[in-house]
Amino acid sequence: MKKNQTIPQLIWQFFCSVKLAVYLLVILAATSMIGTIILQNGTPQQYLRFYGEGAYNLIKVFNIDDMYHAWWFLALMVILCINIVVCSVERLSSTWKIIFPKKIRFNPERFRKFKNLKMFTSDKDVSSISNHYETFLSKAIGRVIKEETPTSTIMYAEKGRWTRMGVYVVHFSILLLLTGALVGSLFGFKARLQLNEGATSDTAILVKKRIPINIGFSIKCNDFDVKFYDTGAPKEFKSNLTIIEDGKESFTKDIIVNHPLRYKGINIFQASYGAGQPDSAVLEVIRQSDKTVIRHTIKIGEEIRLPENQGSFKLEGFLPHFDFKGNNLGEAFIGKITKADGKSFQIILPIKFPTYDKMRKGAFAFVVKEFEQKYYTGLEITKDPGVWYVYAGFILMIIGCWITFFMSHQSFFIEIEKIDENSSKISVSGTTNRNDQGMKLKIKKIVTKLKDK
């Protein structure tokens, strides 16, 4: 490090360090692995159960429960972006001079010392083979620079100067990938929405913050369909959705798992489903004394009078899961009985256990005989405005790596020296900025073709 450097110079030296890039990449890789091990976007109860209170506090302090959006993780990516830009700028000026020189110069003595130098003799004089070699070199490589002396002719040609930019294409692709990740983290979201059949909503719940977010348009679930295997496991489930914007229906589409609906940069995935609230049920009211049965079709929220002025019954709601002493009894309706004296209490009517209410030993027992099974669709709604940066970054990464690893800047040197009036000595060598072994093979091929000229 130079003495008496200013603060801006020290900052510049810090960010142009290759070691800094290596350290940042190692840290990001390590923390990314942690993010795949530690539960992300879970509930506080889950973290307390899995990791304990002490570890949970540490997780919350460093935002490890949403690590890829944590301030320190995003800061590491920003520092890496700055590091890549500074390193590229630091080395670009010298590379630029190589790619776009004011005048192409070469040192013949340098080429004469290369280990890949090949020499052979020809029974032709210098002037008779010079034009043939120049034409060959021009077609095979590119523009030829030719220097002549009374006893020799020197030719120089090169190609692929621009391939030195391959590493900068890779650098730029990394910047695009990091920018896409940053943009997605800062301006994107991931939310969930449960919609009953026939319901419409323009608001979803953010996965991380668990607060509502307006998605900018409404989604209506027209219909939900689920098919089952013989084992009872779901085979396929799909939702028929309509997008409504400014009060007008834009379009309707079926979505299934892995085939989302995309609209204005927002992706709507079929993620789950569950039992939704039915509109009504067929209810049997059984008089316990003589087993007399009265059947009613009753809507949720509707109230009916009980026989003999015994009060009233109101169907209040529906539970997809009813837990009784730690046992899940499945789907159940909730009702409220109001006696003639004004006292009221709730009762639970599990679908799978029709005799459940008889255990209450009241004057009347209630049994749900049938109802129209409805479902809600569970939608995952995501927005990632950085995805196009990521796509462009991957494409440029492939192009840059192809240029960097499979293409090179190559220079070729041919010297024709006069031996006597009827013979010449030819020397061929070359250099490349990568793949020296490949250059040796190319020199051999050129020598073989030149011998035939």
Side-chain angles (χ1 to χ4, degrees):
M1 185 180 293
K2 297 179 181 179
K3 295 182 179 180
N4 302 322
Q5 285 185 315
T6 63
I7 292 178
Q9 287 174 329
L10 290 172
I11 294 173
W12 182 268
Q13 289 297 320
F14 171 77
F15 280 108
C16 75
S17 169
V18 176
K19 287 184 179 180
L20 175 63
V22 174
Y23 292 148
L24 288 171
L25 289 171
V26 170
I27 294 171
L28 285 170
T31 52
S32 295
M33 290 174 63
I34 294 172
T36 62
I37 297 171
I38 301 296
L39 176 67
Q40 299 291 294
N41 300 312
T43 62
Q45 292 76 17
Q46 288 176 308
Y47 289 105
L48 289 170
R49 184 169 67 253
F50 293 154
Y51 309 111
E53 186 175 356
Y56 173 60
N57 292 332
L58 187 66
I59 287 171
K60 291 300 292 182
V61 168
F62 292 100
N63 296 117
I64 301 176
D65 57 333
D66 190 25
M67 199 185 68
Y68 304 111
H69 295 86
W71 65 267
W72 57 266
F73 190 85
L74 299 179
L76 286 173
M77 290 200 293
V78 171
I79 294 172
L80 181 59
C81 287
I82 297 172
N83 174 244
I84 292 171
V85 171
V86 173
C87 283
S88 298
V89 172
E90 179 76 9
R91 292 158 179 79
L92 183 59
S93 58
S94 57
T95 305
W96 194 263
K97 291 177 182 177
I98 295 173
I99 298 173
F100 302 105
K102 293 180 180 180
K103 185 178 180 180
I104 297 176
R105 295 183 176 87
F106 69 97
N107 182 3
E109 192 60 36
R110 175 169 168 260
F111 283 89
R112 295 186 185 111
K113 294 179 180 179
F114 285 152
K115 291 181 179 181
N116 60 22
L117 179 68
K118 298 293 179 183
M119 293 185 291
F120 64 94
T121 59
S122 173
D123 56 1
K124 298 178 182 179
D125 62 87
V126 174
S127 60
S128 63
I129 62 175
S130 176
N131 291 333
H132 292 298
Y133 284 10
E134 182 179 3
T135 301
F136 166 78
L137 198 60
S138 177
K139 289 181 179 179
I141 308 302
R143 186 169 72 91
V144 177
I145 299 174
K146 189 175 179 181
E147 295 181 0
E148 295 181 336
T149 67
T151 59
S152 67
T153 298
I154 295 174
M155 300 177 198
Y156 172 82
E158 62 179 331
K159 67 176 181 179
R161 280 182 178 267
W162 63 273
T163 61
R164 293 179 179 270
M165 290 297 293
V167 66
Y168 297 99
V169 175
V170 174
H171 285 182
F172 186 62
S173 70
I174 295 173
L175 286 176
L176 284 176
L177 291 171
L178 293 174
T179 300
L182 288 169
V183 170
S185 297
L186 296 174
F187 303 106
F189 64 80
K190 181 178 181 181
R192 293 194 177 101
L193 172 63
Q194 289 185 358
L195 273 181
N196 291 321
E197 293 178 89
T200 302
S201 178
D202 62 357
T203 303
I205 304 299
L206 290 175
V207 172
K208 168 61 180 174
K209 298 180 180 179
R210 293 179 175 81
I211 59 174
I213 181 173
N214 189 293
I215 60 176
F217 53 86
S218 297
I219 305 172
K220 180 180 179 182
C221 179
N222 303 305
D223 184 52
F224 179 84
D225 182 57
V226 60
K227 297 178 181 178
F228 298 92
Y229 291 104
D230 294 338
T231 60
K235 181 179 181 181
E236 180 188 78
F237 46 98
K238 66 179 180 180
S239 301
N240 181 264
L241 304 179
T242 295
I243 301 299
I244 302 173
E245 190 169 17
D246 298 328
K248 299 178 181 179
E249 294 186 0
S250 296
F251 64 93
T252 299
K253 182 181 178 180
D254 287 336
I255 66 167
I256 59 176
V257 176
N258 297 326
H259 291 79
L261 183 157
R262 305 183 193 279
Y263 185 70
K264 291 191 173 180
I266 291 179
N267 306 304
I268 304 170
F269 294 88
Q270 179 69 70
S272 62
Y273 74 94
Q277 179 170 294
D279 295 327
S280 61
V282 176
L283 192 71
E284 286 187 350
V285 182
I286 304 171
R287 192 199 308 266
Q288 295 277 47
S289 59
D290 59 6
K291 306 303 180 185
T292 302
V293 176
I294 303 174
R295 179 172 283 219
H296 292 275
T297 299
I298 180 172
K299 295 181 178 180
I300 289 181
E302 187 178 353
E303 189 174 36
I304 58 173
R305 302 298 301 177
L306 297 177
E308 302 174 1
N309 295 320
Q310 292 290 318
S312 63
F313 172 84
K314 182 178 181 180
L315 191 62
E316 290 192 319
F318 175 82
L319 292 174
H321 303 285
F322 170 59
D323 185 78
F324 178 72
K325 295 183 178 180
N327 298 308
N328 182 12
L329 301 187
E331 299 170 332
F333 282 86
I334 305 172
K336 184 174 76 171
I337 295 175
T338 302
K339 292 186 174 182
D341 59 5
K343 294 181 179 180
S344 63
F345 55 90
Q346 276 190 338
I347 62 171
I348 303 296
L349 307 175
I351 305 301
K352 294 181 180 179
F353 301 92
T355 61
Y356 182 85
D357 188 53
K358 292 180 181 180
M359 295 187 297
R360 183 172 50 83
K361 299 182 187 254
F364 297 94
F366 299 85
V367 177
V368 176
K369 297 300 294 182
E370 59 182 83
F371 66 97
E372 183 183 358
Q373 179 68 71
K374 288 194 173 185
Y375 294 95
Y376 70 79
T377 179
L379 304 176
E380 185 174 281
I381 302 175
T382 65
K383 181 180 181 181
D384 187 357
V387 68
W388 294 109
Y389 293 95
V390 175
Y391 289 157
F394 273 122
I395 292 171
L396 282 180
M397 177 73 75
I398 294 170
I399 294 172
C401 287
W402 180 268
I403 294 171
T404 302
F405 294 109
F406 297 101
M407 304 181 76
S408 61
H409 177 199
Q410 301 174 355
S411 303
F412 297 89
F413 169 84
I414 298 176
E415 184 175 21
I416 309 169
E417 296 179 272
K418 179 181 178 181
I419 297 177
D420 54 40
E421 295 299 328
N422 297 315
S423 60
S424 307
K425 183 178 77 170
I426 298 95
S427 301
V428 182
S429 68
T431 183
T432 179
N433 64 326
R434 66 177 60 88
N435 192 9
D436 291 334
Q437 189 61 36
M439 174 57 73
K440 289 180 181 179
L441 296 174
K442 198 154 191 175
I443 294 296
K444 289 181 180 179
K445 290 181 181 179
I446 290 175
V447 168
T448 301
K449 291 181 180 179
L450 291 179
K451 285 180 179 180
D452 296 333
K453 296 293 181 180

